[in-house]
Structures are given as C-alpha cells and as structure tokens.
Amino acid sequence: MTTTPTTTAQATDLTEVAERLDADDTLAHVRERFLLPPHVVYLDGNSLGPLPAAVPPVLADVVTRQWGTDLIGSWNDNGWWEAPLRVGDTIGALIGAAPGQTVAGDSTSVQLFTALDAAVSLRPGRTLLVTDPDHFPTDRYVAAAVAERRGLDLRRVSPAELPRFLRDEGDRVAVVSYSPVDFRTGELFDMGALTQAVHGADALILWDLCHAAGALPVELDFLEADFAVGCGYKFLSGGPGAPAYLYVARRHHHELRTPLPGWTGHADPFGLSRDYTPAPGIARARIGTPPILSLLALEAALTAYDGVDLTAVRAKSLSLTGFLLRCADDLLTPLGFTSVTPTDPDRRGSQVSLRHPHAHALTRALADRGVIADMRAPDLLRFGVNALYTTHRELLTAAQCLRETAAEREYDPTPRTTGPVT
Ligand SMILES: Cc1ncc(COP(=O)(O)O)c(C=O)c1O
C-alpha cells in the first residue's frame, strides 16, 4: 500500500500549532466542568454530551432529599412544577430567546410534532409543508406524518433551492422545517437569510436546533423565527434522553393550539375542569407530568455555560474544526479520506465529517484506541467538537490515530453500514 508517512517536520509543525492554540484558549478553564474519563479523546459530544461535574451532586440531592425526604411537597417546595419553564428559559438564553417563550420536556420528536402541527394551524388555506430532503430522519418522518394528517403536500426542498422554490410556490407554503446544521456534513446554513425568505412568502419557519444550540450563537428573537425545537443531550450535555425543548415566538402565543393539550398546559391545571382551556403564554405547550429527574439533571448540566460567552464558543469551535480540517488535509487525505465539511467558516457547524469507504470499521478501531467519534451511514466518520472541553491537541491525537489505523489497516474492513445507536 502506498502511504505518505508523516514527516517529522509536519508532525512538529502541527504539534506546535496545537500547543499554541491551546495555550491561547480563553475557555480552557471550562473543561474542568466536565468529568471526562482519562485517556479518552471524546469527539462524540454532538451525539451524547459527556457528564458535567455539576450533575451527580444535584441528582443525588434530587433523589435523596427532594424525592426521598420532601416527597410530594417538592412540586411546590423544590420548584418541580415550574421546572419545564425555568429550564426552558435557561435554554432560551443560549438560543436568543427572551424568557417566557421556551418550554423544556418530552423528546425532540414529540416537540417537532407539536410545533409542526401547531404551525400548520397558523396558516390555514396553505397547502404545502416543506422540509429538507437531507434532514435528520425523525424530522422527515414527522413532517410526512403531519402533512398526511393535515391534508398538506410534503415538499422536500434543500436550503439552497428554497429561494427559487418560494418564488414559484411560496404563496402555497404553510411551514418550512429546517436545521441550521446538516447532521451528516456539518454544513451550516444561513438562518437569517432562510428565515427572511420564508417570511417573504408569509410562511412560518421551524428550526431544529439539535446541532446548533450551545455550539454557536443562535438569535431566534432577533431573526424573528417562529418555532424552534432541539434536544438536551448533545452540546447541552443534559444526559442520555435528556428532555428536549420547544420555542414559540411570543407573537404566536395567543393563537397557539397544540395537538397534545395535556392537563399541565391547562390554564387551571388543578381545577380539573371538564374542558380544556389553554394556559396563557408558552405554558400552554406543556403536555403531561414533567420528567423531573432528567429535567433537573439537564438544569444542572446547563450551569457549564455559566459566564461563558457564545461568541467565544463559536470562535474556539471554528478554530478547532479549522485545525482538524488542516490535520485531515496533511495526514489523512493521502490515505483516501475526503472531507465533506465546508472549509468556509461561515458555512461550518461544530463538526468535521470525513468520507472513507470503511468509516464504520475505522470508527470502531478508533474507539479501541480511546478516540471516540461516530459514523453516519454509509461512509462518513463524524468528529464533533465542543468548545467547552475539546482541545486542539486532542484533535491532532485523533487525526494521528486515524492515520495509523488506516495506514496499518488495523481495522476489520468487512463492509457494514449501520453505526452505533446514539
Ligand atoms: C437534527 C436532529 N433532530 C432530532 C434528533 C433526535 O430526535 P429525538 O431527540 O426525538 O430522538 C436528532 C438526533 O440525533 C437530530 O440530529
């Protein structure tokens, strides 16, 4: 096999660059807020964020004192009842949402259904629901289900094609459902331009922020976005299956009717009345009894962002992904890897994806060497960086490890296309 050995000069150069960038890192102290296992390079925080140090003591308190001792009184005395709105506001601060517009709870899929169905109701007479053909599967499936139930036609239009599509058919569009970051390639779309284009057609926009919240500044209010959803377990590091969230712009609250009018979203939930009257504001988007253990774990996790400026997060994230792209160029391109992540910083989220026919086997082999990334079928290796804890040195280690694994063929090349479930 023909490989290009890393020259000593190349390795020294990349090491020096990594060390200099890490020495200048203004967010370096935030890494201590995470309990990262030693000798592991964790590059899968865009799938499951690592454990924040604040979570175990809070969870212990919630279980032993709040639940164990204070029992049902905790709904009032320990702030359990307000938790969905309180945690929603904390997330709101990370996504440019003023208080009172975000509620936390349920899964992203449930929140997507709620948001899409509610958004369709706000545009009666419109017959099209638009989604990205490359959207995450749950977004595509839920959009198709909502379109079918509401008698709309589903159109799969990529963000690049949207302006032209809206010029031709915009007056028929009810809702456009997009993500700012492509979960496979890490491409970042222009949220401002797309939101404006959708509003130009008097349609509504729903953003899925799973791969953006906590990774880059998002300005929902400033952009006048209509709806947004996202999960709590990726960059927000709220734990496996952490509650998701729903944002609805305040101007839509009075008309908002959700498809799941559960009792906790009632104007008088303890009045136990026969008929449903929605609570004022975003509280009407509450559904059932909130999952307190995971909600309070998420709340504790979010303290990792205390005093952290998202502009600095974005700057460091771009430095990290830019450095990883450089490592890939120098060390991995000669071995048949190609990057599918845009080099233009304005078009890059917080991950780098590399194409290789043995992506699955290589991801497993990397994990055996303590570098945890993931893959997306059929052939993409995904490296998620989180500016709160990832270092440039770790990225160089990952790239070197991948180079060695590929060059020495230290992986089982049996083709497989399914990745680990995350
Ligand atoms: C963009 C996007 N939306 C939704 C989800 C998952 O939805 P849920 O939290 O309901 O599993 C993911 C998971 O990776 C995702 O990447």
Side-chain angles (χ1 to χ4, degrees):
M1 180 173 60
T2 323
T3 64
T4 308
T6 320
T7 66
T8 315
Q10 208 176 21
T12 312
D13 186 33
L14 288 171
T15 306
E16 277 171 9
V17 174
E19 282 171 4
R20 181 170 43 76
L21 290 171
D22 286 339
D24 291 345
D25 176 8
T26 57
L27 293 174
H29 63 286
V30 183
R31 185 177 165 95
E32 289 167 12
R33 299 181 186 178
F34 293 87
L35 299 175
L36 291 154
H39 316 302
V40 166
V41 174
Y42 192 63
L43 301 176
D44 211 1
N46 55 340
S47 208
L48 174 67
L51 175 62
V55 170
V58 166
L59 262 189
D61 178 63
V62 173
V63 172
T64 54
R65 182 183 62 83
Q66 299 186 24
W67 179 15
T69 307
D70 298 352
L71 291 164
I72 200 164
S74 285
W75 285 106
N76 295 318
D77 303 340
N78 290 310
W80 287 2
W81 182 257
E82 293 80 24
L85 301 181
R86 192 176 67 239
V87 177
D89 281 346
T90 308
I91 295 169
L94 297 174
I95 55 175
Q101 301 175 97
T102 311
V103 62
D106 302 286
S107 68
T108 320
S109 303
V110 170
Q111 298 292 16
L112 259 172
F113 178 76
T114 300
L116 268 179
D117 188 85
V120 165
S121 299
L122 297 179
R123 285 296 178 271
R126 298 267 179 137
T127 54
L128 302 182
L129 200 163
V130 176
T131 192
D132 185 344
D134 293 322
H135 217 330
F136 185 79
T138 215
D139 298 75
R140 288 187 276 122
Y141 307 155
V142 170
V146 170
E148 190 184 338
R149 295 166 72 90
R150 304 297 302 259
L152 270 62
D153 285 335
L154 182 70
R155 293 296 171 86
R156 298 178 178 91
V157 182
S158 72
E161 293 166 341
L162 187 73
R164 194 162 53 85
F165 178 81
L166 290 175
R167 267 196 302 278
D168 296 343
E169 304 202 53
D171 58 350
R172 296 172 57 209
V173 175
V175 185
V176 176
S177 168
Y178 277 168
S179 164
V181 182
D182 184 301
F183 76 102
R184 286 194 182 89
T185 64
E187 177 173 3
L188 174 67
F189 304 112
D190 186 337
M191 285 185 78
L194 289 165
T195 302
Q196 257 186 8
V198 171
H199 286 170
D202 197 28
L204 300 174
I205 183 91
L206 160 60
W207 288 108
D208 180 334
L209 301 178
C210 278
H211 291 272
L216 46 100
V218 173
E219 295 293 345
L220 291 178
D221 286 350
F222 176 76
L223 298 180
E224 298 187 350
D226 300 291
F227 290 80
V229 300
C231 68
Y233 50 77
K234 295 182 192 286
F235 290 92
L236 303 185
S237 300
Y245 55 90
L246 165 69
Y247 159 93
V248 184
R250 200 180 311 281
R251 63 184 176 283
H252 296 308
H253 288 182
H254 65 290
E255 288 181 285
L256 182 72
R257 292 292 179 274
T258 68
L260 289 165
W263 74 280
T264 67
H266 194 283
D268 179 16
F270 299 99
L272 308 179
S273 60
R274 194 170 295 274
D275 299 314
Y276 181 76
T277 309
I282 193 66
R284 67 182 52 188
R286 296 178 66 149
I287 303 175
T289 305
I292 290 300
L293 300 186
S294 46
L295 208 43
L296 300 191
L298 172 60
E299 184 170 40
L302 292 169
T303 62
Y305 283 92
D306 284 356
V308 170
D309 174 7
L310 281 167
T311 319
V313 168
R314 175 67 174 152
K316 181 176 170 190
S317 159
L318 283 177
S319 172
L320 290 164
T321 50
F323 179 68
L324 183 52
L325 285 170
R326 178 175 167 185
C327 293
D329 234 18
D330 286 5
L331 306 178
L332 300 169
T333 311
L335 294 182
F337 291 86
T338 40
S339 168
V340 298
T341 302
T343 49
D344 176 355
D346 290 337
R347 294 183 48 225
R348 199 160 79 222
S350 203
Q351 75 181 55
V352 168
S353 300
L354 302 178
R355 176 160 283 139
H356 190 284
H358 299 313
H360 188 238
L362 284 163
T363 308
R364 291 168 68 99
L366 274 184
D368 291 343
R369 291 169 161 236
V371 176
I372 301 180
D374 68 16
M375 66 85 62
R376 286 296 172 262
D379 58 1
L380 287 181
L381 289 107
R382 252 184 10 163
F383 300 90
V385 307
N386 186 327
L388 300 195
Y389 53 79
T390 309
T391 66
H392 297 83
R393 190 70 193 77
E394 286 181 311
L395 297 178
L396 179 55
T397 302
Q400 284 170 330
C401 221
L402 184 53
R403 181 187 168 86
E404 282 164 25
T405 309
E408 291 157 22
R409 287 203 159 251
E410 277 187 5
Y411 59 92
D412 170 9
T414 319
R416 259 179 286 180
T417 53
T418 49
V421 176
T422 52

